[in-house]
Amino acid sequence: MEMKRLNLKRAGAALALGAALGGVTLPALADEQFVPLLVYRTGSFAPLGIPWADGKLDYLKLVNERDGGINGVKITYEECETAYATDKGVECYERLKSHGPTGASGFDSQSTGITFAVTDKAPLDKVPVETVGYGLSQAADGSVFQWNFPLLGTYWTAADVMIQDIAKKEGGMDKLKGKKIALVYHDSPYGKEPIQLLQKRAAANGFELQLYPVTAPGVEQKSTWLQIRQARPAYVLLWSAGIMTPTAIREAQASGYPRDKMYAIWWAGSEGDVKDLGDVAKGYNAITIHNSGEQGKVAQDLKKYVYDKGQGSDRNNTTLGTIAHTRGMIISMLQVEAIRTAQEKYGKGKSMTPEQVRWGFENLDLTQEKLDKLGFGGIVRPFKTSCANHLGADWARIVQWDGKQFKVASDWYQADPNMVGPLVKAEAAKYAKDKNITPKNCEG
Amino acid sequence: MLYRENGQFKTSYVADQQIFPIRQDRIFVMLLLAFAFVGVPLLASDYLLRALLIPFLILSLAAVGLNVLVGYCGQISLGTGAFMAVGAYAAWNFGVRIPAMPLLLQIVLGGLCATVVGVIFGIPSLRIRGLYLAVATLAAQFFVDWAFLRIPYFTNYSSSGNVSVPQLTAFGLPVQTAMEKYLFVLALVCVFTLLVKNLVRGAIGREWMAIRDMDVAASVIGIRPMYAKLTAFAVSSFIVGVAGALWGFIHLGSWEPLAFDLTRSFQLLFMVIIGGLGSILGCFFGAAFIVLVPVLLSNIPGMLGLPLAVDTASHIEHMVFGALIVTFLIAEPHGLARLWSIAKEKLRLWPFPY
């Protein structure tokens, strides 16, 4: 009945205002699963957005080609261009959330701003939002953020792991005392996200944190690096995106700051960021949430089932195999596994509703064996999610640019739960209070 | 034929000075309002309300505010985004500091804060004109962007610098579903549009227009430039501030300063120019053009079943949109509102050629 009323409404709107604006969907076929793909292939962040989008798309094609879908349920998908703009992202979200026979399986918005906006809408619309490696760090607390899944790592993970790696280089946590560590960040919620954790770390380990905000888009950093040259921090953490990254590396070179003392967040650690700089960026460290040195079986499968048939998304032969492309595949893989997990509970071979997919995200259990089977064995570490833990496990490691490619430069780290845990709890509780959310009881 | 006012005689000043002196217009507007308040909520899908109509209405209101300043008073402003931001952040701050405050009061107070800021940045207009003033208002834009990014008090010390609103209620009723939000915005837009329409028809509106057309002559005949310019800045900033508060509270729900950056200012200026300077109706045309056409364009390939890549579609959309703007402005420099009135003129004679 509800469905019928909706369709009547739809048809009415379409008649009244021209079918163009009614958002009319095609008649639903049975046993399909719709995955919306918010992407930015244009705009200032396109160099990162294109491989990311290609990766997301490629993996869905692979699942359809190789396995015939998820237990026989074909995946349908549609891309929607956001250009990294929040209002366009919101429009895409509204347009795609009820597509397909059961609605959108989940949104990976690819932008901190869009994430903030849809986080407010998702609980009302009952759609999961997955933010792999970005978004709100406190969303790891599943009892408050029931619809958000910052899987595999947040910015607090990244900041904490960077400090751990620095301590290791220096010869122990106690060696950080009295050192200066600078954070050069994109002056937006995205760039400010790690500050809280770093301040906590600074207090605990006795180093001095210096903050250098860079006004977006970040092409003007002369004064910032001049200050860095005067202050001489032992290490620089870089929270940049798009054009800000190569600019920072060039300015570091100009002011004589050693690149091997720089640590960049994963969005500033793709090949596209440093390829044109070559040796200028030599020694530059970046953090990664997956094993970027590894291609895994999934890459071979992708070649065999998708690219050799001429179905690949990467038309110019530029994105395949890059860190961002692999990360895009991981994101789609997590989406697909959430649907698969949901099917195991609610019925194999059926289309899942977004609400059922949310359950799947909350009950992911990716063992080593499963990951090996999927072809991600060497790329992602095993992890489990639960009602209280929407992050899974936050393994990360450091890669270093050698002038030609990124080489793995450290072992796997995990963020220190004694540092991150209480912060997640406190911030999530604050959010719940601001929004009048009653946290779900996860004990039962 | 369809649109003749034969036989409609006015016997009083009141009747002669009403907003819609022609009966057909009155009937049309009444029907349109009835449709907007009753028909649309019954017919429209969630997507249509949330993604198209709500942003269209809010930006129309912002364009009305800007038109007071640019179209009626002739003071070019590039700081509209900033005044929207002031409205949004001020309203949000009132809500956070005084949780018991009703939503409507928050929004109005946000508008009043924007008024104060608008008047302060309007002061240079007493000395400078044209492009120089545009640069001064540009300073407002940069200053406000900076303030909301760097002064933690304004975001209540939010760690990420992002603010977000709790579930909204107005007059004890929830404002949460798409329909409730739409009706709330529509009511406010109608009220404020009527307010501005009456202002520009009155003495103060005439003062603004006199200043716009020739400020030296206006001051010779006794119009005070300072009073006229600053009231235009005040009224304009108030309306824009209210629109900003609505944009943050109703449309986005949570936002960062980027939501009100320079692009927003340009977007609104284009709306006013394309819609028609010095026309209230034009604001709605302009907003419709700027908000709806890109969405329409981005939906066309999908509807026709053309397998276009999103990036190609996006580039084509930009090109077509740019071409449309140029075409319209060449065809009718006075904007869409002028086209509308020409159409009405033609309808008076239709189907006869004389």
Side-chain angles (χ1 to χ4, degrees), chain A residues 57-385:
Chain A
L57 199 54
D58 274 343
Y59 187 76
L60 296 181
K61 288 177 181 170
L62 174 66
V63 172
N64 277 344
E65 290 290 327
R66 184 188 59 194
D67 319 336
I70 310 166
N71 297 326
V73 180
K74 271 264 188 249
I75 304 172
T76 56
Y77 43 80
E78 186 177 324
E79 283 196 337
C80 188
E81 173 69 31
T82 67
Y84 201 80
T86 301
D87 42 355
K88 275 196 183 169
V90 170
E91 192 265 317
C92 284
Y93 164 86
E94 297 292 350
R95 190 193 313 175
L96 298 179
K97 74 182 180 198
S98 48
H99 267 216
T102 49
S105 310
F107 281 91
D108 161 52
S109 71
Q110 298 199 174
S111 128
T112 306
I114 300 173
T115 302
F116 282 129
V118 300
T119 294
D120 281 347
K121 298 172 191 286
L124 295 169
D125 295 325
K126 301 208 175 325
V127 183
V129 177
E130 67 269 21
T131 53
V132 179
Y134 62 99
L136 279 162
S137 302
Q138 59 268 38
D141 184 344
S143 67
V144 174
F145 293 86
Q146 290 172 39
W147 297 89
N148 291 61
F149 294 89
L151 298 164
L152 295 179
T154 63
Y155 293 134
W156 292 348
T157 307
D160 197 72
V161 167
M162 286 176 185
I163 298 293
Q164 286 185 46
D165 194 63
I166 288 172
K168 198 169 167 185
K169 275 189 186 167
E170 292 291 325
M173 277 291 172
D174 51 337
K175 295 281 190 295
L176 291 176
K177 215 171 189 58
K179 288 246 183 312
K180 289 181 192 159
I181 296 179
L183 172 69
V184 175
Y185 64 95
H186 190 269
D187 200 356
S188 67
Y190 152 68
K192 287 176 182 171
E193 195 67 22
I195 293 176
Q196 263 191 306
L197 184 106
L198 288 169
Q199 283 169 335
K200 211 174 149 180
R201 268 276 180 203
N205 304 118
F207 63 83
E208 185 195 332
L209 178 67
Q210 301 170 328
L211 298 176
Y212 296 103
V214 173
T215 308
V219 283
E220 186 39 68
Q221 297 180 38
K222 285 241 177 304
S223 63
T224 306
W225 288 91
L226 207 65
Q227 288 170 27
I228 288 176
R229 196 160 134 185
Q230 286 161 350
R232 297 188 174 281
Y235 292 91
V236 169
L237 312 183
L238 182 65
W239 242 259
S240 66
I243 187 72
M244 182 175 160
T245 311
T247 311
I249 298 171
R250 281 195 193 284
E251 290 297 344
Q253 182 205 17
S255 61
Y257 194 85
R259 262 71 76 212
D260 58 359
K261 302 278 189 222
M262 291 169 76
Y263 279 82
I265 182 64
W266 31 71
W267 309 125
S270 314
E271 285 86 348
D273 293 316
V274 289
K275 210 166 48 208
D276 301 344
L277 297 166
D279 280 345
V280 172
K282 199 168 170 182
Y284 175 76
N285 301 295
I287 186 170
T288 167
I289 33 181
H290 60 81
N291 196 352
S292 51
E294 212 33 74
Q295 290 297 316
K297 189 164 82 62
V298 70
Q300 296 156 23
D301 282 356
L302 187 66
K303 190 176 174 318
K304 183 169 145 196
Y305 289 98
V306 180
Y307 276 81
D308 288 353
K309 292 182 180 171
Q311 303 277 325
S313 315
D314 174 19
R315 274 164 274 148
N316 317 329
N317 224 344
T318 48
T319 63
L320 196 59
T322 60
I323 293 180
H325 183 278
T326 309
R327 192 174 300 133
M329 293 221 289
I330 292 171
I331 290 169
S332 277
M333 181 271 283
L334 295 170
Q335 174 75 68
V336 168
E337 289 317 299
I339 297 166
R340 200 189 305 276
T341 311
Q343 281 193 14
E344 274 156 23
K345 181 176 163 83
Y346 295 103
K348 275 193 179 172
K350 288 208 187 96
S351 314
M352 293 288 119
T353 64
E355 224 169 333
Q356 291 166 330
V357 177
R358 191 205 77 86
W359 187 91
F361 271 118
E362 198 165 76
N363 293 280
L364 281 174
D365 181 10
L366 292 174
T367 57
Q368 190 61 47
E369 184 189 358
K370 269 191 200 167
L371 288 167
D372 286 342
K373 206 169 130 222
L374 292 168
F376 284 92
I379 302 177
V380 181
R381 297 278 296 232
F383 74 92
K384 262 172 100 149
T385 51

Side-chain angles (χ1 to χ4, degrees), chain A residues 6 8-14 16-17 19-23 39 41-43 50 78-81 83-84 86-88 90-92 94-97 112-118 120-121 124-125 136 138 156 185 187-190 192-193 195-196 213-216 315 427 430-431 434-436, chain B residues 35 40-48 50-53 59 92 96 146 148-151 155-167 176-179 181 247 250-259 264 267 292 294-296 298-300 302-303 309-312 314-315 317-318:
Chain A
L6 255 174
L8 277 177
K9 266 190 188 174
R10 277 246 169 82
L17 292 132
L21 299 178
V39 300
R41 292 174 179 275
T42 63
I50 292 168
E78 186 177 324
E79 283 196 337
C80 188
E81 173 69 31
Y84 201 80
T86 301
D87 42 355
K88 275 196 183 169
V90 170
E91 192 265 317
C92 284
E94 297 292 350
R95 190 193 313 175
L96 298 179
K97 74 182 180 198
T112 306
I114 300 173
T115 302
F116 282 129
V118 300
D120 281 347
K121 298 172 191 286
L124 295 169
D125 295 325
L136 279 162
Q138 59 268 38
W156 292 348
Y185 64 95
D187 200 356
S188 67
Y190 152 68
K192 287 176 182 171
E193 195 67 22
I195 293 176
Q196 263 191 306
V214 173
T215 308
R315 274 164 274 148
E427 284 297 316
K430 188 173 156 211
Y431 184 90
D434 289 347
K435 291 270 182 188
N436 305 326
Chain B
F35 179 72
V40 170
L42 288 175
L43 293 170
S45 66
D46 220 27
Y47 166 72
L48 188 67
R50 277 180 195 274
L52 299 175
L53 291 179
L59 291 176
W92 182 82
V96 168
W146 173 88
F148 290 128
L149 267 176
R150 299 286 166 88
I151 302 176
T155 52
N156 200 12
Y157 304 96
S158 137
S159 56
S160 62
N162 183 74
V163 299
S164 93
V165 289
Q167 295 292 11
Q176 279 146 27
T177 65
M179 201 205 322
K181 285 182 170 180
W247 187 255
I250 309 284
H251 181 55
L252 293 177
S254 77
W255 68 93
E256 48 183 305
L258 195 68
R264 181 75 56 212
Q267 189 190 29
L292 305 182
V295 175
L296 200 62
S298 68
N299 273 312
I300 285 174
M303 278 168 20
V310 283
D311 46 350
T312 319
S314 169
H315 294 316
E317 177 196 319
H318 279 294

